[in-house]
Amino acid sequence: MSELLKYVPGLADVPVAESAISSIDGKRARLAYRGIAAETLARESTFEETAYLLLKGKLPTQKELSDFDQQLREHRRIKYRLVELLKCLPESGHPMSAMQAGVAALCMLYPVRTVTDPRLNWESVINLLAKLPTIVAAFHRLRNGDEALRPRNDLSHAANFYWMLTEMEPTPAIIRVLDAALILHAEHSMNASTFSARVTASTLADPYTVVCSAIGTLTGPLHGGANEEVLDMFDEIGTPDKARSWLENAVATKRKIMGFGHRVYKVKDPRATALQELAENVFAEIGRPPQYDLALELEKAALTILGPKGIYPNVDYFSGIIYQSLGIPRDLFTPIFAIARTAGWLAHWLEQLKNNRIFRPEQIYVGPTDVPYVPLEERR
Ligand code: COA
C-alpha cells in the first residue's frame, strides 16, 4: 500500500479539513474571516467583535456584541491558586511555557468532562478568551517582582491587557493598534498551530488541552516565535546603512531572514501592510523607533534580492517593532499572538466537533524489515 502513497513534506497543498472560517488568496494578498476582509476588520472592528465573527460565523448585532463583551469582562479574573502557581514558575522561563502551564491549570480548575454540550463549550470559549491575557500579564508582573494587577471591567479586551501589563491606561491610538494586531493575528486558516489544535480536537480532548497543544506549536521560530527573532535580527544588523550588505551576506550563507516568506503568500502579507499603516499612526504619536527605519531599508533591499523568489515581509515583520515601541518586552510578542489566535483555534475546535473524525494520517515506512533479534551478549 505504501508504494501507492506519495509523501508531501509539510503537507503543502494537501487539504486536511473543510473550513468556513477564513480564506487566503496568496497571490492577491487577500485574507478574509468568514468572507470579510481582515484589513477591513483591523480598521473598523474590535477584537471582541472579530472573535464573535470567527466563533459564531456572523457579525454580532449590538445586543449580541454587548452580551459577549460583558461575558468576557466578567470572566477575566483568575483564581488565587492560579496566581500562586504562576508565582512558583521560574522567572527566567519563557512566558509561552507559563501560558501552557496556566492553561493546563485552567483545565484542572474548570474540568470539562464532555465536549458535546454547546452551553459548556461556550463557557470554555469565554473562559479561555477572557483569562489568557490575565495569565500572561500576571506572569510578567510576578517575574519582575510586581503584584499581579486585577483586570479592569471598564476597559476593552486590548486596553485591559495593556493596563494589566503596564499599569497605564492606553491612549486611543495605542488601543487601536493593539486591537488591530489582535484582529490580524486572530485566525489564519490551516497554519501549524491551528492544525495542531484540530488534531487534538479530533480526539475529543477538552478545549483547554486543545489550546495547550496549539500554544506549544506556536512557540517555534518558524511560526509564532519569528516575531521575537525579527528584533534580534535588527539588533544584529545595527543601522539602516548596513541592511543591504547584511542581507546579501545572509542570503549567500543561506540564512532564513526572519519576518520574510510564507507558505501561502508569494506577495507582501496583507497583515504586514495593514499593521504597517496602523504602526505609522501610533509612531506619529509616540515617536518613530529607530528599528522602523532599519525595517524599511531591509525591506527595500529584500525587494530585489528576495522578491523575485516570492519572499516578502510577513505579519511578524512589523508586529515586534510596534510592541517594542509600546514598551512590551520581546518574549511577550508570541504570547500576544497566542492571545489573539485563541479565537481562531477555538473556532476551529467548534468546527472540528461538528463533523469529527479522528486524524490518523498514513506514513511511508522507510526503515528495515525482517531484522533478526540478536541476543544482547552476541551484539557488537
Ligand atoms: N529567508 C530566506 N529564504 C527564504 C525565506 C526567508 N525568510 N523563506 C523562504 N526562503 C527560501 C528557502 O530558503 C527556499 O529556497 P530554496 O528553494 O532555494 O531552497 C524557498 O524560499 C522555499 O522556502 P521553504 O522554507 O521551503 O518555504 P516554506 O513554505 O516551507 O516555509 C516559512 C515558510 C514561513 C517557514 C519560511 O518562509 C521561513 O522560515 N520564514 C522565516 C520565519 C518566519 O518569518 N516565520 C513566520 C511566518 S508567518
Side-chain angles (χ1 to χ4, degrees):
M1 174 187 167
S2 302
E3 281 127 50
L4 301 174
L5 299 173
K6 187 173 174 291
Y7 166 52
V8 182
L11 293 178
D13 301 324
V14 177
V16 294
E18 285 185 333
S19 179
I21 301 171
S22 67
S23 58
I24 303 174
D25 181 339
K27 290 200 189 85
R28 292 193 297 161
R30 302 239 168 104
L31 167 65
Y33 298 165
R34 303 283 187 185
I36 302 176
E39 307 97 280
T40 308
L41 291 165
R43 270 194 302 270
E44 309 287 337
S45 178
T46 59
F47 174 74
E48 292 86 326
E49 185 180 60
T50 301
Y52 187 100
L53 169 72
L54 290 168
L55 289 156
K56 295 279 196 182
K58 67 167 196 75
L59 285 171
T61 61
Q62 184 65 60
K63 162 104 177 56
E64 286 165 338
L65 180 59
S66 50
D67 287 352
F68 179 57
D69 187 23
Q70 193 53 35
Q71 287 176 318
L72 290 176
R73 287 174 198 239
E74 277 167 14
H75 288 86
R76 284 179 184 159
R77 280 175 61 177
I78 54 174
K79 285 188 192 287
Y80 159 78
R81 286 173 70 186
L82 179 45
V83 178
E84 291 301 300
L85 175 106
L86 295 173
K87 278 184 192 161
C88 297
L89 299 176
E91 58 267 28
S92 57
H94 199 285
M96 285 296 275
S97 307
M99 225 178 163
Q100 276 192 304
V103 176
L106 284 183
C107 177
M108 299 170 87
L109 291 163
Y110 305 93
V112 172
R113 286 187 189 84
T114 166
V115 290
T116 53
D117 180 340
R119 196 183 50 82
L120 289 179
N121 286 354
W122 188 247
E123 277 175 22
S124 302
V125 165
I126 296 290
N127 240 348
L128 278 157
L129 283 176
K131 293 188 197 312
L132 277 186
T134 317
I135 291 173
V136 173
F139 175 72
H140 173 61
R141 291 190 60 89
L142 293 166
R143 71 178 171 170
N144 289 331
D146 296 322
E147 279 294 314
L149 291 176
R150 274 191 178 203
R152 282 188 34 190
N153 283 2
D154 59 325
L155 297 175
S156 72
H157 197 74
N160 170 60
F161 177 58
Y162 184 84
W163 157 261
M164 289 189 298
L165 278 182
T166 62
E167 212 170 354
M168 291 187 294
E169 277 194 34
T171 63
I174 295 177
I175 299 175
R176 189 64 249 142
V177 81
L178 271 181
D179 233 341
L182 292 177
I183 291 168
L184 292 167
H185 284 88
E187 161 64 10
H188 206 232
S189 79
M190 203 50 66
N191 56 88
S193 58
T194 300
F195 182 42
S196 179
R198 283 192 85 127
V199 170
T200 308
S202 80
T203 69
L204 301 187
D206 68 83
Y208 299 95
T209 305
V210 168
V211 169
C212 243
S213 303
I215 293 172
T217 309
L218 188 69
T219 58
L222 296 186
H223 193 6
N227 52 17
E228 273 185 53
E229 302 213 5
V230 169
L231 286 199
D232 296 343
M233 177 179 79
F234 291 152
D235 286 349
E236 189 189 321
I237 300 172
T239 47
D241 57 306
K242 305 217 177 78
R244 179 169 284 275
S245 58
W246 182 91
L247 182 66
E248 283 166 355
N249 183 50
V251 171
T253 52
K254 296 216 169 299
R255 272 180 71 172
K256 280 267 170 88
I257 318 304
M258 289 295 135
F260 277 85
H262 200 275
R263 173 66 58 80
V264 185
Y265 297 117
K266 299 303 165 202
V267 290
K268 186 166 174 178
D269 184 334
R271 299 168 301 169
T273 309
L275 265 184
Q276 187 175 2
E277 213 179 281
L278 288 152
E280 289 185 2
N281 291 344
V282 89
F283 296 159
E285 182 180 293
I286 62 171
R288 192 177 162 108
Q291 291 95 345
Y292 187 58
D293 291 318
L294 171 48
L296 294 181
E297 209 47 48
L298 186 68
E299 184 183 356
K300 202 155 77 182
L303 201 63
T304 47
I305 300 173
L306 297 174
K309 287 175 85 178
I311 300 167
Y312 290 90
N314 59 48
V315 67
D316 291 317
Y317 194 58
F318 293 110
S319 61
I321 306 177
I322 297 171
Y323 300 146
Q324 181 155 292
S325 72
L326 299 182
I328 298 175
R330 233 168 252 196
D331 63 0
L332 292 186
F333 299 173
T334 317
I336 297 175
F337 190 157
I339 285 171
R341 188 56 63 83
T342 300
W345 293 332
L346 290 170
H348 279 271
W349 168 58
L350 293 172
E351 187 174 66
Q352 180 67 32
L353 290 182
K354 275 194 199 145
N355 199 5
N356 187 50
R357 189 172 186 206
I358 190 167
F359 275 98
R360 202 328 181 171
E362 194 43 270
Q363 64 162 20
I364 296 174
Y365 178 67
V366 294
T369 50
D370 301 325
V371 180
Y373 177 79
V374 180
L376 185 56
E377 58 283 6
E378 288 172 27
R379 285 179 224 159
R380 313 177 128 236

